[in-house]
Amino acid sequence: MVWSLVIYAAGAGALALVARRGSRPVQHHASVVQVAAACDAGDRAAALAACGCGPVDSGPAVPWERVALAYQRAGDTHAASLPLVLALVGQESDFRPRAVRHEPCVWVADWTATARAAHPRGTDCCAWGSFGLTQVLFAVALDRGGDLVDRPEDLFDPDVSIEVGLRVLDHWLDRFGAGGAGGPWSDVLAGYNSGRRYAAAPKRTQNYVDAVIAKRREWEARLSPGLQPWAA
């Protein structure tokens, strides 16, 4: 995909609508073009610079028991097991609740008059990225956890991040089922990472899934059945 074509397809109406919201129109319009050009060139560092996203301090990790407590608080309406969630969190954020990965090229690709201009943070490309323990994209969090999430920073709350992450896993489970060419739950995890089934996903996604599944086995061996040391 050529990111700049997505920008231009949105049309002048999209930019005008943003301008009417009073969101620094001159600076913002310039950054949109610059971000698109950097994404076209495959230069993520330049895209981040065009967005004006500063360095990120992910802060300290939390103990696994904090993730388990958030899992317990989410209730028993979700399908993913605790070992799978712990494995996913370890792979995604290394248990750091304030982990951030800015995604300026995702923001550019997602630009439309309805999606971006309708939300007060839509013009801020630094708000468009993956946040929190489960590293859910802010755009996805708004869709799957809109009752919990209004700002990217809301995903820094472990309880919110785990709940939203579980909802996203449920979504891919509903779409793909619990199987997959890479083993149980491999299609779900591939969907979580790239939106595709394991067999159709790029190699980096397959490697991601394989790593999460390996970590899940480690957690299954580590946690004794029926033992809940995280219980409040």
Side-chain angles (χ1 to χ4, degrees):
M1 178 183 292
V2 179
W3 307 108
S4 55
L5 292 181
V6 178
I7 290 293
Y8 303 140
L15 298 180
L17 186 56
V18 173
R20 283 198 296 272
R21 294 181 67 89
S23 183
R24 296 177 299 158
V26 175
Q27 294 180 11
H28 177 64
H29 294 182
S31 68
V32 170
V33 175
Q34 292 164 5
V35 173
C39 291
D40 287 346
D43 190 342
R44 186 172 184 275
L48 286 169
C51 278
C53 303
V56 175
D57 180 7
S58 296
V62 294
W64 71 267
E65 290 90 347
R66 179 63 184 91
V67 175
L69 178 59
Y71 176 85
Q72 184 188 49
R73 288 173 173 169
D76 57 3
T77 60
H78 302 291
S81 68
L82 174 59
L84 180 65
V85 171
L86 289 167
L88 183 142
V89 168
Q91 185 69 23
E92 289 282 359
S93 66
D94 198 23
F95 291 86
R96 298 180 183 277
R98 300 184 67 84
V100 175
R101 178 177 172 83
H102 295 301
E103 298 288 359
C105 296
V106 174
W107 173 75
V108 168
D110 244 7
W111 180 277
T112 66
T114 54
R116 300 287 66 77
H119 196 274
R121 296 297 291 271
T123 60
D124 180 2
C125 73
C126 292
W128 228 247
S130 305
F131 298 84
L133 288 170
T134 56
Q135 287 291 280
V136 174
L137 283 168
F138 179 49
V140 174
L142 288 175
D143 182 43
R144 298 289 162 192
D147 57 321
L148 301 172
V149 177
D150 182 62
R151 307 169 304 144
E153 294 83 358
D154 293 335
L155 290 164
F156 292 157
D157 182 333
D159 292 337
V160 172
S161 182
I162 296 301
E163 172 65 31
V164 174
L166 285 166
R167 292 182 189 182
V168 176
L169 289 170
D170 287 343
H171 165 75
W172 291 111
L173 180 63
D174 289 342
R175 284 197 60 184
F176 292 160
W185 282 76
S186 60
D187 279 353
V188 173
L189 293 168
Y192 189 96
N193 182 258
S194 70
R196 304 176 187 178
R197 291 182 182 272
Y198 182 91
K203 184 62 176 176
R204 62 174 176 78
T205 292
Q206 293 180 352
N207 291 340
Y208 163 88
V209 172
D210 294 344
V212 173
I213 290 175
K215 284 182 169 68
R216 182 194 66 192
R217 295 192 185 107
E218 293 173 2
W219 280 108
E220 286 172 343
R222 180 175 174 180
L223 299 176
S224 300
L227 182 63
Q228 295 184 330
W230 57 88

